[in-house]
Each structure stands twice: as C-alpha cells, then as structure tokens.
Amino acid sequence: QAQLVASGGGSVQAGGSLRLSCAASGFSLMGWFRQPLGKEREGVASLAGDGSTAYADSVKGRFTISQDIRENTLYLEMNNLNLEDTAMYYCATGFTRMGYGRLDERNFQRWGQGTQVTVTS
C-alpha cells in the first residue's frame, strides 16, 4: 500500500486559513489528527464512507473535512485558525470499530507522515 502523505502545512497568522491534503480517498473511514508539541495526539475530523463527518468540538464550524475521489485526495480546510491549532497534523485511514467514537484513533490502522501547522499572533 502506498504510504499516506499529508501536505499543505505551514505558518499562518491567527485568523488565517490553510488547506491540508492527503493522498487518500474512498476508504471506509478517513481522518485527520493533530499532536501539539509535548501533548497527546487528538482526533480533529473524520469522514466515513457514507459521507458522514465528525469533528472535535474545538474545530467545529472552522474546519471541514472532504474528499475528491477523482483526485484521490482527502482534504482538511481550516479557517479562522488560532494559536491552539498549532500542531503536527496527520491523516489516517481505517474502519469504524464498534464501541469507539469516530475520532478515536483505535479506528485507524494506516497513518501518514505529518505536516506542521504553525499559527502565529
């Protein structure tokens, strides 16, 4: 299987936007996670094969997960970024396991290399 590769990170001022990309589409479950420096990794957004989505409370209304099957790409559109969004962001694929929430990383078996997002004041 090809390795997942996330891209699109960078440095942006607070209030700005970025769009992350990952070469993946059509999986049963796809997601974005982030890990701030010195903290645990957390689920940010997930997209299931039926089109349903899930978001962490901290990003609801600001982030949007989507896929372009023709381009084989998973996206994370991030708007109104704030300092707390600074982290390494990872894309992942897997399938929903009974008993685990959509943002639980135990649903995800294949992980990509991360892309750094830094939000400055």
Side-chain angles (χ1 to χ4, degrees):
Q1 286 181 326
Q3 186 177 14
L4 300 178
V5 179
S7 62
S11 182
V12 62
Q13 285 191 322
S17 299
L18 282 174
R19 186 175 74 165
L20 305 183
S21 301
C22 177
S25 69
F27 289 91
S28 173
L29 186 66
M30 297 166 286
W32 288 96
F33 291 76
R34 67 185 181 186
Q35 187 168 20
L37 188 64
K39 297 184 179 180
E40 292 187 356
R41 187 165 59 191
E42 61 178 355
V44 174
S46 69
L47 173 65
D50 62 0
S52 59
T53 57
Y55 294 94
D57 288 343
S58 59
V59 307
K60 280 181 182 176
R62 300 188 299 121
F63 289 13
T64 302
I65 187 171
S66 64
Q67 67 173 330
D68 185 329
I69 294 178
R70 288 180 302 174
E71 296 294 329
N72 189 39
T73 303
L74 178 71
Y75 296 105
L76 184 67
E77 185 75 35
M78 306 185 295
N79 298 313
N80 194 23
L81 286 159
N82 58 53
L83 299 179
E84 289 70 36
D85 296 319
T86 295
M88 185 71 76
Y89 283 72
Y90 301 89
C91 59
T93 63
F95 59 92
T96 303
R97 296 183 177 184
M98 189 171 294
Y100 296 146
R102 283 281 180 87
L103 297 178
D104 193 316
E105 65 177 68
R106 289 172 290 187
N107 289 319
F108 296 85
Q109 297 77 44
R110 186 166 162 233
W111 294 81
Q113 295 177 331
T115 185
Q116 178 68 34
V117 172
T118 302
V119 183
T120 62
S121 59

